[in-house]
Amino acid sequence: MAGTYLLPDVVGSAAARDLFLTGRVVEADEALGLGLVSRVLDPETFRAEVLASAGAIAEAAPIATRLTKRALQCPHASIEAALEWEGLAQPVTLATEDLLEGIRAAQEKRPPVFRDR
């Protein structure tokens, strides 16, 4: 599963070594501190917060969101590779009607209605 390759990038080599060799359970606050999770939610509000996050992602510009997800799924070997990917992806998003809709919506202080797919 490539954990020994991926985990040190997230938590650092010392923490990865500790976690792999001890097999200990990591509690929520430590997972947050290590960068294993982006946030810790209260169990009582968990469902509502997850649905709100999903809704915000679903309301974002679809083409830009899809390209961002693709870039984040495939870690780049170098900063040059990341810049090359972004250099290819940005003109695609800049050529969409969604860009203009996002600008208009911000100017008009209303939620955008994205139509590009």
Side-chain angles (χ1 to χ4, degrees), residues 22-83:
T22 65
R24 65 187 179 79
V25 173
V26 177
E27 298 295 332
D29 288 339
E30 184 181 7
L32 182 62
L34 288 170
L36 290 172
V37 297
S38 60
R39 58 187 158 153
V40 175
L41 303 175
D42 189 351
E44 289 81 35
T45 60
F46 179 83
R47 181 179 173 78
E49 290 186 55
V50 168
L51 292 174
S53 291
I57 293 167
E59 291 171 358
I63 293 172
T65 299
R66 196 166 32 256
L67 289 170
T68 300
K69 285 171 54 179
R70 176 63 54 103
L72 293 171
Q73 287 169 345
C74 305
H76 302 290
S78 66
I79 185 134
E80 291 81 11
L83 290 170

Short mmCIF file of all heavy atoms in Angstrom, two decimals, residues 22-83:
data_model
loop_
_atom_site.label_atom_id
_atom_site.label_comp_id
_atom_site.label_asym_id
_atom_site.label_seq_id
_atom_site.Cartn_x
_atom_site.Cartn_y
_atom_site.Cartn_z
N THR A 22 5.55 0.90 16.42
CA THR A 22 4.77 0.64 17.64
C THR A 22 3.37 0.15 17.32
O THR A 22 2.77 -0.56 18.13
CB THR A 22 4.65 1.91 18.52
OG1 THR A 22 3.90 2.89 17.82
CG2 THR A 22 6.01 2.43 18.93
N GLY A 23 2.82 0.56 16.19
CA GLY A 23 1.45 0.18 15.85
C GLY A 23 0.41 0.78 16.76
O GLY A 23 -0.74 0.34 16.82
N ARG A 24 0.79 1.82 17.49
CA ARG A 24 -0.12 2.41 18.46
C ARG A 24 -1.26 3.17 17.78
O ARG A 24 -1.15 3.60 16.64
CB ARG A 24 0.63 3.33 19.41
CG ARG A 24 1.24 4.55 18.80
CD ARG A 24 2.11 5.30 19.82
NE ARG A 24 2.72 6.47 19.21
CZ ARG A 24 2.09 7.62 19.01
NH1 ARG A 24 0.84 7.77 19.37
NH2 ARG A 24 2.72 8.64 18.46
N VAL A 25 -2.34 3.32 18.50
CA VAL A 25 -3.51 4.05 18.01
C VAL A 25 -3.26 5.54 18.20
O VAL A 25 -2.76 5.98 19.25
CB VAL A 25 -4.78 3.62 18.79
CG1 VAL A 25 -5.97 4.49 18.40
CG2 VAL A 25 -5.07 2.15 18.52
N VAL A 26 -3.60 6.31 17.20
CA VAL A 26 -3.45 7.77 17.25
C VAL A 26 -4.82 8.39 17.50
O VAL A 26 -5.76 8.14 16.74
CB VAL A 26 -2.85 8.29 15.92
CG1 VAL A 26 -2.76 9.80 15.92
CG2 VAL A 26 -1.49 7.66 15.67
N GLU A 27 -4.93 9.16 18.56
CA GLU A 27 -6.19 9.83 18.89
C GLU A 27 -6.37 11.08 18.00
O GLU A 27 -5.43 11.53 17.35
CB GLU A 27 -6.21 10.23 20.37
CG GLU A 27 -6.12 9.06 21.33
CD GLU A 27 -7.33 8.12 21.26
OE1 GLU A 27 -8.44 8.58 20.89
OE2 GLU A 27 -7.16 6.92 21.55
N ALA A 28 -7.56 11.63 18.01
CA ALA A 28 -7.93 12.71 17.11
C ALA A 28 -7.00 13.92 17.18
O ALA A 28 -6.54 14.42 16.16
CB ALA A 28 -9.37 13.15 17.40
N ASP A 29 -6.72 14.40 18.38
CA ASP A 29 -5.88 15.60 18.50
C ASP A 29 -4.46 15.37 17.99
O ASP A 29 -3.87 16.25 17.35
CB ASP A 29 -5.86 16.10 19.94
CG ASP A 29 -7.18 16.73 20.36
OD1 ASP A 29 -7.95 17.15 19.48
OD2 ASP A 29 -7.44 16.79 21.58
N GLU A 30 -3.92 14.18 18.26
CA GLU A 30 -2.58 13.88 17.75
C GLU A 30 -2.61 13.74 16.23
O GLU A 30 -1.70 14.21 15.54
CB GLU A 30 -2.02 12.61 18.38
CG GLU A 30 -0.59 12.33 17.93
CD GLU A 30 0.01 11.06 18.49
OE1 GLU A 30 -0.71 10.28 19.17
OE2 GLU A 30 1.22 10.84 18.26
N ALA A 31 -3.65 13.11 15.69
CA ALA A 31 -3.78 12.97 14.24
C ALA A 31 -3.82 14.34 13.57
O ALA A 31 -3.20 14.56 12.53
CB ALA A 31 -5.03 12.17 13.89
N LEU A 32 -4.50 15.28 14.21
CA LEU A 32 -4.55 16.65 13.69
C LEU A 32 -3.17 17.28 13.74
O LEU A 32 -2.71 17.88 12.76
CB LEU A 32 -5.56 17.48 14.49
CG LEU A 32 -5.76 18.92 14.05
CD1 LEU A 32 -6.30 18.99 12.62
CD2 LEU A 32 -6.70 19.64 15.01
N GLY A 33 -2.49 17.13 14.86
CA GLY A 33 -1.15 17.70 15.01
C GLY A 33 -0.14 17.11 14.04
O GLY A 33 0.77 17.81 13.58
N LEU A 34 -0.30 15.83 13.71
CA LEU A 34 0.61 15.18 12.78
C LEU A 34 0.30 15.50 11.31
O LEU A 34 1.09 15.21 10.43
CB LEU A 34 0.57 13.65 12.97
CG LEU A 34 1.22 13.11 14.23
CD1 LEU A 34 0.88 11.63 14.41
CD2 LEU A 34 2.72 13.32 14.18
N GLY A 35 -0.88 16.05 11.08
CA GLY A 35 -1.27 16.32 9.70
C GLY A 35 -1.93 15.14 9.01
O GLY A 35 -2.08 15.12 7.79
N LEU A 36 -2.36 14.15 9.80
CA LEU A 36 -3.07 13.00 9.23
C LEU A 36 -4.50 13.34 8.84
O LEU A 36 -5.08 12.70 7.97
CB LEU A 36 -3.08 11.84 10.22
CG LEU A 36 -1.74 11.15 10.46
CD1 LEU A 36 -1.86 10.15 11.61
CD2 LEU A 36 -1.28 10.46 9.20
N VAL A 37 -5.07 14.32 9.52
CA VAL A 37 -6.42 14.79 9.22
C VAL A 37 -6.37 16.32 9.12
O VAL A 37 -5.50 16.96 9.70
CB VAL A 37 -7.44 14.35 10.30
CG1 VAL A 37 -7.55 12.83 10.34
CG2 VAL A 37 -7.09 14.90 11.67
N SER A 38 -7.31 16.88 8.40
CA SER A 38 -7.33 18.33 8.23
C SER A 38 -8.07 19.05 9.35
O SER A 38 -7.85 20.23 9.60
CB SER A 38 -7.95 18.71 6.89
OG SER A 38 -9.27 18.24 6.81
N ARG A 39 -8.98 18.33 10.01
CA ARG A 39 -9.70 18.91 11.15
C ARG A 39 -10.37 17.80 11.93
O ARG A 39 -10.55 16.69 11.43
CB ARG A 39 -10.70 19.95 10.70
CG ARG A 39 -11.74 19.45 9.74
CD ARG A 39 -12.59 20.57 9.23
NE ARG A 39 -13.19 20.17 7.97
CZ ARG A 39 -14.33 20.66 7.53
NH1 ARG A 39 -14.96 21.59 8.21
NH2 ARG A 39 -14.83 20.26 6.39
N VAL A 40 -10.73 18.11 13.16
CA VAL A 40 -11.43 17.18 14.03
C VAL A 40 -12.80 17.79 14.31
O VAL A 40 -12.90 18.96 14.70
CB VAL A 40 -10.65 16.96 15.35
CG1 VAL A 40 -11.44 16.08 16.31
CG2 VAL A 40 -9.29 16.35 15.06
N LEU A 41 -13.84 16.99 14.10
CA LEU A 41 -15.21 17.48 14.26
C LEU A 41 -15.84 16.90 15.51
O LEU A 41 -15.58 15.77 15.90
CB LEU A 41 -16.04 17.11 13.03
CG LEU A 41 -15.51 17.60 11.69
CD1 LEU A 41 -16.35 17.05 10.55
CD2 LEU A 41 -15.45 19.11 11.65
N ASP A 42 -16.73 17.68 16.10
CA ASP A 42 -17.49 17.26 17.26
C ASP A 42 -18.51 16.21 16.80
O ASP A 42 -19.20 16.41 15.80
CB ASP A 42 -18.20 18.49 17.83
CG ASP A 42 -18.86 18.23 19.17
OD1 ASP A 42 -18.92 17.07 19.60
OD2 ASP A 42 -19.32 19.21 19.77
N PRO A 43 -18.62 15.09 17.49
CA PRO A 43 -19.57 14.05 17.07
C PRO A 43 -21.00 14.55 16.90
O PRO A 43 -21.72 14.10 16.01
CB PRO A 43 -19.50 13.00 18.19
CG PRO A 43 -18.15 13.19 18.80
CD PRO A 43 -17.85 14.67 18.68
N GLU A 44 -21.41 15.50 17.72
CA GLU A 44 -22.79 16.01 17.64
C GLU A 44 -23.04 16.80 16.35
O GLU A 44 -24.17 16.85 15.87
CB GLU A 44 -23.13 16.89 18.85
CG GLU A 44 -23.29 16.11 20.14
CD GLU A 44 -21.95 15.78 20.78
OE1 GLU A 44 -21.00 16.58 20.71
OE2 GLU A 44 -21.84 14.68 21.37
N THR A 45 -22.03 17.45 15.82
CA THR A 45 -22.21 18.27 14.62
C THR A 45 -21.54 17.65 13.39
O THR A 45 -21.54 18.26 12.32
CB THR A 45 -21.65 19.68 14.85
OG1 THR A 45 -20.24 19.58 15.14
CG2 THR A 45 -22.36 20.39 15.98
N PHE A 46 -21.00 16.44 13.56
CA PHE A 46 -20.23 15.80 12.49
C PHE A 46 -21.00 15.74 11.17
O PHE A 46 -20.53 16.21 10.14
CB PHE A 46 -19.81 14.39 12.93
CG PHE A 46 -19.02 13.65 11.89
CD1 PHE A 46 -17.67 13.86 11.76
CD2 PHE A 46 -19.65 12.75 11.04
CE1 PHE A 46 -16.93 13.18 10.80
CE2 PHE A 46 -18.93 12.07 10.07
CZ PHE A 46 -17.57 12.29 9.95
N ARG A 47 -22.18 15.16 11.19
CA ARG A 47 -22.96 14.98 9.95
C ARG A 47 -23.25 16.31 9.28
O ARG A 47 -23.05 16.45 8.07
CB ARG A 47 -24.25 14.24 10.26
CG ARG A 47 -25.11 13.98 9.02
CD ARG A 47 -26.39 13.20 9.40
NE ARG A 47 -27.29 13.07 8.31
CZ ARG A 47 -27.17 12.21 7.30
NH1 ARG A 47 -26.15 11.39 7.27
NH2 ARG A 47 -28.07 12.18 6.34
N ALA A 48 -23.69 17.29 10.03
CA ALA A 48 -24.02 18.60 9.45
C ALA A 48 -22.77 19.25 8.84
O ALA A 48 -22.84 19.83 7.75
CB ALA A 48 -24.64 19.51 10.51
N GLU A 49 -21.63 19.16 9.53
CA GLU A 49 -20.40 19.77 9.01
C GLU A 49 -19.89 19.06 7.76
O GLU A 49 -19.43 19.70 6.82
CB GLU A 49 -19.33 19.80 10.10
CG GLU A 49 -19.67 20.80 11.20
CD GLU A 49 -18.54 20.93 12.21
OE1 GLU A 49 -17.41 21.23 11.79
OE2 GLU A 49 -18.80 20.75 13.41
N VAL A 50 -20.00 17.73 7.75
CA VAL A 50 -19.58 16.97 6.57
C VAL A 50 -20.47 17.32 5.38
O VAL A 50 -19.99 17.56 4.26
CB VAL A 50 -19.60 15.46 6.86
CG1 VAL A 50 -19.47 14.65 5.57
CG2 VAL A 50 -18.49 15.10 7.82
N LEU A 51 -21.77 17.38 5.60
CA LEU A 51 -22.69 17.73 4.51
C LEU A 51 -22.46 19.16 4.03
O LEU A 51 -22.54 19.43 2.83
CB LEU A 51 -24.14 17.53 4.96
CG LEU A 51 -24.55 16.07 5.18
CD1 LEU A 51 -25.97 15.99 5.75
CD2 LEU A 51 -24.43 15.27 3.89
N ALA A 52 -22.16 20.07 4.94
CA ALA A 52 -21.87 21.45 4.53
C ALA A 52 -20.59 21.51 3.69
O ALA A 52 -20.54 22.21 2.68
CB ALA A 52 -21.75 22.35 5.77
N SER A 53 -19.57 20.76 4.10
CA SER A 53 -18.33 20.72 3.31
C SER A 53 -18.58 20.13 1.93
O SER A 53 -18.10 20.65 0.93
CB SER A 53 -17.25 19.90 4.03
OG SER A 53 -16.83 20.57 5.19
N ALA A 54 -19.31 19.02 1.89
CA ALA A 54 -19.62 18.39 0.61
C ALA A 54 -20.42 19.34 -0.28
O ALA A 54 -20.19 19.42 -1.49
CB ALA A 54 -20.39 17.09 0.83
N GLY A 55 -21.36 20.07 0.33
CA GLY A 55 -22.15 21.03 -0.43
C GLY A 55 -21.29 22.15 -1.01
O GLY A 55 -21.47 22.55 -2.16
N ALA A 56 -20.35 22.64 -0.22
CA ALA A 56 -19.46 23.71 -0.70
C ALA A 56 -18.61 23.22 -1.87
O ALA A 56 -18.40 23.95 -2.85
CB ALA A 56 -18.57 24.21 0.44
N ILE A 57 -18.13 21.99 -1.78
CA ILE A 57 -17.34 21.43 -2.89
C ILE A 57 -18.22 21.25 -4.11
O ILE A 57 -17.82 21.59 -5.23
CB ILE A 57 -16.68 20.10 -2.46
CG1 ILE A 57 -15.63 20.36 -1.38
CG2 ILE A 57 -16.06 19.39 -3.66
CD1 ILE A 57 -15.14 19.12 -0.67
N ALA A 58 -19.43 20.73 -3.91
CA ALA A 58 -20.35 20.50 -5.03
C ALA A 58 -20.76 21.81 -5.72
O ALA A 58 -21.04 21.81 -6.92
CB ALA A 58 -21.59 19.75 -4.55
N GLU A 59 -20.77 22.92 -4.98
CA GLU A 59 -21.16 24.20 -5.54
C GLU A 59 -20.01 24.91 -6.27
O GLU A 59 -20.22 25.89 -6.96
CB GLU A 59 -21.69 25.12 -4.45
CG GLU A 59 -23.03 24.66 -3.88
CD GLU A 59 -23.44 25.44 -2.66
OE1 GLU A 59 -22.69 26.33 -2.21
OE2 GLU A 59 -24.54 25.15 -2.13
N ALA A 60 -18.79 24.40 -6.12
CA ALA A 60 -17.63 25.03 -6.76
C ALA A 60 -17.63 24.75 -8.26
O ALA A 60 -18.34 23.86 -8.74
CB ALA A 60 -16.34 24.52 -6.12
N ALA A 61 -16.83 25.50 -8.98
CA ALA A 61 -16.74 25.33 -10.43
C ALA A 61 -16.27 23.91 -10.76
O ALA A 61 -15.19 23.50 -10.35
CB ALA A 61 -15.78 26.37 -11.02
N PRO A 62 -17.08 23.15 -11.50
CA PRO A 62 -16.78 21.73 -11.72
C PRO A 62 -15.46 21.46 -12.43
O PRO A 62 -14.73 20.55 -12.03
CB PRO A 62 -17.95 21.24 -12.57
CG PRO A 62 -19.04 22.22 -12.36
CD PRO A 62 -18.37 23.52 -12.06
N ILE A 63 -15.13 22.19 -13.45
CA ILE A 63 -13.89 21.93 -14.19
C ILE A 63 -12.68 22.22 -13.32
O ILE A 63 -11.76 21.41 -13.23
CB ILE A 63 -13.85 22.73 -15.50
CG1 ILE A 63 -14.93 22.20 -16.45
CG2 ILE A 63 -12.47 22.65 -16.15
CD1 ILE A 63 -15.12 23.03 -17.72
N ALA A 64 -12.68 23.35 -12.65
CA ALA A 64 -11.56 23.69 -11.77
C ALA A 64 -11.44 22.69 -10.62
O ALA A 64 -10.33 22.28 -10.26
CB ALA A 64 -11.74 25.11 -11.22
N THR A 65 -12.57 22.27 -10.06
CA THR A 65 -12.54 21.29 -8.97
C THR A 65 -11.98 19.97 -9.45
O THR A 65 -11.15 19.34 -8.78
CB THR A 65 -13.96 21.10 -8.40
OG1 THR A 65 -14.43 22.34 -7.90
CG2 THR A 65 -13.99 20.07 -7.29
N ARG A 66 -12.42 19.53 -10.62
CA ARG A 66 -11.94 18.26 -11.17
C ARG A 66 -10.43 18.30 -11.42
O ARG A 66 -9.70 17.36 -11.08
CB ARG A 66 -12.70 17.94 -12.46
CG ARG A 66 -12.58 16.53 -12.92
CD ARG A 66 -13.59 16.12 -14.00
NE ARG A 66 -14.00 17.12 -14.95
CZ ARG A 66 -15.19 17.74 -14.93
NH1 ARG A 66 -16.08 17.46 -14.00
NH2 ARG A 66 -15.51 18.63 -15.84
N LEU A 67 -9.95 19.39 -11.99
CA LEU A 67 -8.51 19.51 -12.25
C LEU A 67 -7.71 19.59 -10.95
O LEU A 67 -6.62 19.02 -10.85
CB LEU A 67 -8.23 20.73 -13.12
CG LEU A 67 -8.69 20.60 -14.58
CD1 LEU A 67 -8.59 21.94 -15.29
CD2 LEU A 67 -7.90 19.53 -15.30
N THR A 68 -8.24 20.27 -9.95
CA THR A 68 -7.56 20.34 -8.65
C THR A 68 -7.50 18.97 -8.00
O THR A 68 -6.44 18.56 -7.48
CB THR A 68 -8.29 21.34 -7.72
OG1 THR A 68 -8.27 22.63 -8.34
CG2 THR A 68 -7.61 21.42 -6.37
N LYS A 69 -8.61 18.23 -8.03
CA LYS A 69 -8.60 16.88 -7.46
C LYS A 69 -7.58 16.00 -8.16
O LYS A 69 -6.85 15.24 -7.52
CB LYS A 69 -10.00 16.27 -7.57
CG LYS A 69 -10.98 16.83 -6.56
CD LYS A 69 -12.41 16.40 -6.80
CE LYS A 69 -12.59 14.92 -6.89
NZ LYS A 69 -14.00 14.52 -7.09
N ARG A 70 -7.52 16.09 -9.48
CA ARG A 70 -6.55 15.29 -10.23
C ARG A 70 -5.13 15.64 -9.83
O ARG A 70 -4.29 14.77 -9.63
CB ARG A 70 -6.77 15.50 -11.73
CG ARG A 70 -5.79 14.80 -12.65
CD ARG A 70 -5.86 13.28 -12.53
NE ARG A 70 -7.18 12.78 -12.73
CZ ARG A 70 -7.63 12.19 -13.83
NH1 ARG A 70 -6.82 12.03 -14.84
NH2 ARG A 70 -8.86 11.76 -13.90
N ALA A 71 -4.84 16.93 -9.70
CA ALA A 71 -3.49 17.35 -9.33
C ALA A 71 -3.12 16.84 -7.94
O ALA A 71 -1.99 16.43 -7.70
CB ALA A 71 -3.38 18.87 -9.39
N LEU A 72 -4.07 16.86 -7.02
CA LEU A 72 -3.80 16.42 -5.65
C LEU A 72 -3.73 14.90 -5.52
O LEU A 72 -3.10 14.38 -4.60
CB LEU A 72 -4.86 16.97 -4.69
CG LEU A 72 -4.83 18.50 -4.54
CD1 LEU A 72 -6.05 18.97 -3.76
CD2 LEU A 72 -3.55 18.95 -3.88
N GLN A 73 -4.36 14.17 -6.42
CA GLN A 73 -4.32 12.70 -6.38
C GLN A 73 -3.00 12.15 -6.88
O GLN A 73 -2.62 11.05 -6.54
CB GLN A 73 -5.44 12.11 -7.25
CG GLN A 73 -6.81 12.27 -6.64
CD GLN A 73 -7.92 11.91 -7.62
OE1 GLN A 73 -7.71 11.80 -8.81
NE2 GLN A 73 -9.11 11.74 -7.10
N CYS A 74 -2.32 12.91 -7.70
CA CYS A 74 -1.07 12.45 -8.30
C CYS A 74 0.06 13.36 -7.85
O CYS A 74 0.36 14.35 -8.53
CB CYS A 74 -1.17 12.48 -9.82
SG CYS A 74 -2.57 11.57 -10.47
N PRO A 75 0.68 13.06 -6.72
CA PRO A 75 1.75 13.94 -6.24
C PRO A 75 2.84 14.14 -7.30
O PRO A 75 3.20 13.21 -8.00
CB PRO A 75 2.30 13.21 -5.03
CG PRO A 75 1.24 12.25 -4.63
CD PRO A 75 0.48 11.90 -5.87
N HIS A 76 3.30 15.36 -7.41
CA HIS A 76 4.30 15.70 -8.40
C HIS A 76 5.70 15.37 -7.88
O HIS A 76 5.97 15.52 -6.69
CB HIS A 76 4.20 17.18 -8.77
CG HIS A 76 2.84 17.54 -9.29
ND1 HIS A 76 2.36 17.12 -10.51
CD2 HIS A 76 1.84 18.25 -8.75
CE1 HIS A 76 1.14 17.57 -10.70
NE2 HIS A 76 0.80 18.26 -9.63
N ALA A 77 6.55 14.96 -8.78
CA ALA A 77 7.92 14.58 -8.41
C ALA A 77 8.76 15.78 -8.00
O ALA A 77 9.74 15.64 -7.28
CB ALA A 77 8.58 13.84 -9.57
N SER A 78 8.38 16.96 -8.46
CA SER A 78 9.17 18.14 -8.18
C SER A 78 8.30 19.38 -8.29
O SER A 78 7.19 19.32 -8.81
CB SER A 78 10.32 18.25 -9.18
OG SER A 78 9.80 18.47 -10.48
N ILE A 79 8.83 20.50 -7.84
CA ILE A 79 8.09 21.75 -7.99
C ILE A 79 7.94 22.10 -9.46
O ILE A 79 6.91 22.63 -9.88
CB ILE A 79 8.74 22.91 -7.20
CG1 ILE A 79 7.87 24.15 -7.30
CG2 ILE A 79 10.12 23.23 -7.72
CD1 ILE A 79 7.65 24.86 -6.03
N GLU A 80 8.92 21.74 -10.25
CA GLU A 80 8.83 22.01 -11.69
C GLU A 80 7.67 21.25 -12.32
O GLU A 80 6.94 21.77 -13.15
CB GLU A 80 10.15 21.65 -12.39
CG GLU A 80 11.31 22.57 -12.04
CD GLU A 80 11.99 22.23 -10.72
OE1 GLU A 80 11.71 21.15 -10.12
OE2 GLU A 80 12.78 23.06 -10.24
N ALA A 81 7.49 19.98 -11.89
CA ALA A 81 6.38 19.18 -12.42
C ALA A 81 5.04 19.77 -11.99
O ALA A 81 4.08 19.79 -12.77
CB ALA A 81 6.51 17.74 -11.95
N ALA A 82 4.96 20.25 -10.74
CA ALA A 82 3.72 20.87 -10.27
C ALA A 82 3.43 22.14 -11.06
O ALA A 82 2.29 22.38 -11.46
CB ALA A 82 3.84 21.19 -8.78
N LEU A 83 4.44 22.95 -11.29
CA LEU A 83 4.24 24.17 -12.06
C LEU A 83 3.84 23.86 -13.49
O LEU A 83 3.00 24.56 -14.09
CB LEU A 83 5.52 25.02 -12.04
CG LEU A 83 5.85 25.65 -10.69
CD1 LEU A 83 7.24 26.26 -10.71
CD2 LEU A 83 4.80 26.69 -10.31
#
